[in-house]
Amino acid sequence: MILIADSGSTKTDWVAYSTGAQPLRFQSVGFNPFYQSKEVVAEALRQEVVPQVPAIESVYFYGAGCADETSSLPISQALQQSFPMAHIEVQSDLLAAARALCGHESGIACILGTGANNCLYNGERIVNNIGSLGFWMGDEGSGGYLGKTLVVRYLHKELPEEIQERFTAAYPGTDRFLVLDNAYKKPFPNRYFATFTRFLSEHITHPYIQQLIVEAFDLFLSKYVVKHPDAAAYPVHFTGSVAYYFRDQLAEAVTAKGLRMGTIQKSPMEGLLRYHQA
């Protein structure tokens, strides 16, 4: 039996699969080696993952922050401790997106969820990546970026009057001190700001909100996607909840940039399952 994990900063999707059996699907907390130690990861695995699965022969873990062997150590060591008899392979969430979205074809694979990332994939491996600088210095177009943009404009009273009033009603008590506390004192500020994308989704028919989202996507495409060699020659695929729920605005931004719209998947897991089954 093999175990596949697609992990973001917010949650992890798991699938346990063996030939001839129905895949077992479940979720756990998210994992990120930039923010969590091996001990923290191992404890979460012990509580939320190990009891869910029988004997595992191989674990294929794809995760945010798992850019290379060194950065992935808290994850790989915790997995080896939790599944001592299994083969462990830890790869980036970006390779997960590329394998899920492109399969064995060339294309540009992008992640737009709580965070953001992108790569050019040749059907076998990632050949170019214009790396994001993370939540505070990058992640344009992500849920964290969209939420942060909305909240900053709210605090500066830059939103249209009706949107300003609806935000106040939806999030009473949200003031500068509360936001600063969540931004600089509490862990995972990207998760905190990403929660405000729900407000954007609920008010998506408002022209101001639509423009805010399109501008964020345009910035993502300008800073990353169009810089890939011959970017216009490849389909641009997306995975992640932000790409999925704001797909109309995303398609608008992609078309306006003269790029070729590919597929949008809410989660890469189905594509990953097909990849590993093959």
Side-chain angles (χ1 to χ4, degrees), residues 150-246:
L150 175 68
V151 170
V152 168
R153 293 186 186 183
Y154 170 75
L155 293 175
H156 285 301
K157 295 180 169 56
E158 296 173 347
L159 299 174
E161 183 178 354
E162 66 274 20
I163 297 298
Q164 191 86 10
E165 292 174 354
R166 292 175 190 176
F167 188 96
T168 301
Y171 304 101
T174 300
D175 58 15
R176 182 168 63 94
F177 301 105
L178 176 65
V179 171
L180 289 174
D181 187 58
N182 280 279
Y184 294 106
K185 293 183 179 180
K186 294 183 179 179
F188 301 110
N190 55 340
R191 291 185 190 175
Y192 168 72
F193 285 105
T195 61
F196 293 100
T197 57
R198 177 183 293 275
F199 182 88
L200 295 173
S201 179
E202 291 171 349
H203 297 85
I204 192 60
T205 58
H206 195 286
Y208 182 89
I209 298 298
Q210 292 186 15
Q211 187 62 28
L212 183 155
I213 295 168
V214 170
E215 287 175 357
F217 290 156
D218 178 78
L219 193 57
F220 171 79
L221 297 169
S222 298
K223 282 188 172 289
Y224 306 105
V225 176
V226 300
K227 294 178 182 177
H228 290 295
D230 300 318
Y234 300 99
V236 185
H237 305 287
F238 295 87
T239 186
S241 57
V242 169
Y244 181 80
Y245 287 113
F246 300 116

Side-chain angles (χ1 to χ4, degrees), residues 106-110 118-121 127-128 130 220-238 254-255 257-262:
S106 297
I108 296 175
C110 304
N118 69 97
C119 72
L120 177 61
Y121 179 73
V127 294
N128 196 46
I130 302 167
F220 171 79
L221 297 169
S222 298
K223 282 188 172 289
Y224 306 105
V225 176
V226 300
K227 294 178 182 177
H228 290 295
D230 300 318
Y234 300 99
V236 185
H237 305 287
F238 295 87
V254 169
T255 302
K257 269 285 182 286
L259 298 166
R260 181 150 56 103
M261 190 70 197

